[in-house]
């Protein structure tokens, strides 16, 4: 079975809003994430993907979970990290042209949007509530 490994970032600001992105030509929202490149650690991937997809520079606070699933016959492993913004500013500069919009949303707003990974919502709620 083919495998894909990636990393996802959960970033919460001081207003308890979550950093989220919307894919090109879709109304589905998710946290910033992407595939791990050769020689890259999950943490390095997480930091790079957030920068590419949102313009924000982040540092990893801790690993939250590892999600394993199978999508269309591909074994998918995604490492989730709790990160905090350390620099940069919000702008989409995605070299892969996959991201159309990046913004901060309250967990209530995000819960009402169409989500790419609805199973992630409880994790996001836990992180924002612990702030």
């Amino acid at each position: 079975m083919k495998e894909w490994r990636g990393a996802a970032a959960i970033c919460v600001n001081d207003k308890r809003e979550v950093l989220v992105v919307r894919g090109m030509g879709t109304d589905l929202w998710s946290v910033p994430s992407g595939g791990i490149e050769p020689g890259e650690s999950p943490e390095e991937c997480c930091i790079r993907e957030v920068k590419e997809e949102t313009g924000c520079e982040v540092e990893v606070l801790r690993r939250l979970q590892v999600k394993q699933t199978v999508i269309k016959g591909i074994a998918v492993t995604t490492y989730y990290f709790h990160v905090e913004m350390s620099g940069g500013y919000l702008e989409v500069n995605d070299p892969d042209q996959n991201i159309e919009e990046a913004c901060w949303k309250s967990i209530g707003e995000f819960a009402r949007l169409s989500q790419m990974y609805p199973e992630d919502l409880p994790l996001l709620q836990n992180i924002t509530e612990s702030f």
Side-chain angles (χ1 to χ4, degrees):
M1 183 180 292
K2 217 173 140 188
E3 288 186 34
W4 183 90
R5 294 172 62 239
I10 296 179
C11 187
V12 181
N13 67 15
D14 54 9
K15 296 186 211 150
R16 292 173 61 188
E17 296 169 321
V18 180
L19 184 60
V20 294
V21 295
R22 183 172 57 82
M24 196 65 75
T26 178
D27 63 353
L28 296 174
W29 291 82
S30 67
V31 295
S33 62
I36 298 171
E37 294 180 350
E40 191 175 50
S41 72
E43 290 84 353
E44 290 165 338
C45 171
C46 179
I47 291 166
R48 177 183 53 75
E49 286 291 345
V50 172
K51 178 72 174 157
E52 289 177 2
E53 294 186 359
T54 72
C56 299
E57 294 166 11
V58 297
E59 53 189 58
V60 172
L61 299 175
R62 63 192 168 110
R63 182 182 287 189
L64 293 168
Q65 69 178 27
V66 179
K67 182 169 79 175
Q68 294 186 297
T69 185
V70 175
I71 300 173
K72 296 179 182 161
I74 299 168
V76 174
T77 302
T78 308
Y79 298 85
Y80 281 75
F81 296 96
H82 184 193
V83 303
E84 73 180 355
M85 195 164 158
S86 57
Y89 55 92
L90 202 57
E91 65 165 349
V92 176
N93 190 20
D94 181 21
D96 303 325
Q97 302 289 302
N98 291 330
I99 301 302
E100 194 160 320
E101 188 178 353
C103 60
W104 297 95
K105 297 274 187 199
S106 74
I107 198 68
E109 289 174 306
F110 184 67
R112 289 190 293 275
L113 295 170
S114 299
Q115 295 165 41
M116 193 174 295
Y117 306 106
E119 69 274 14
D120 292 353
L121 189 58
L123 179 63
L124 295 173
Q125 289 168 323
N126 285 343
I127 297 294
T128 56
E129 285 167 12
S130 66
F131 247 66

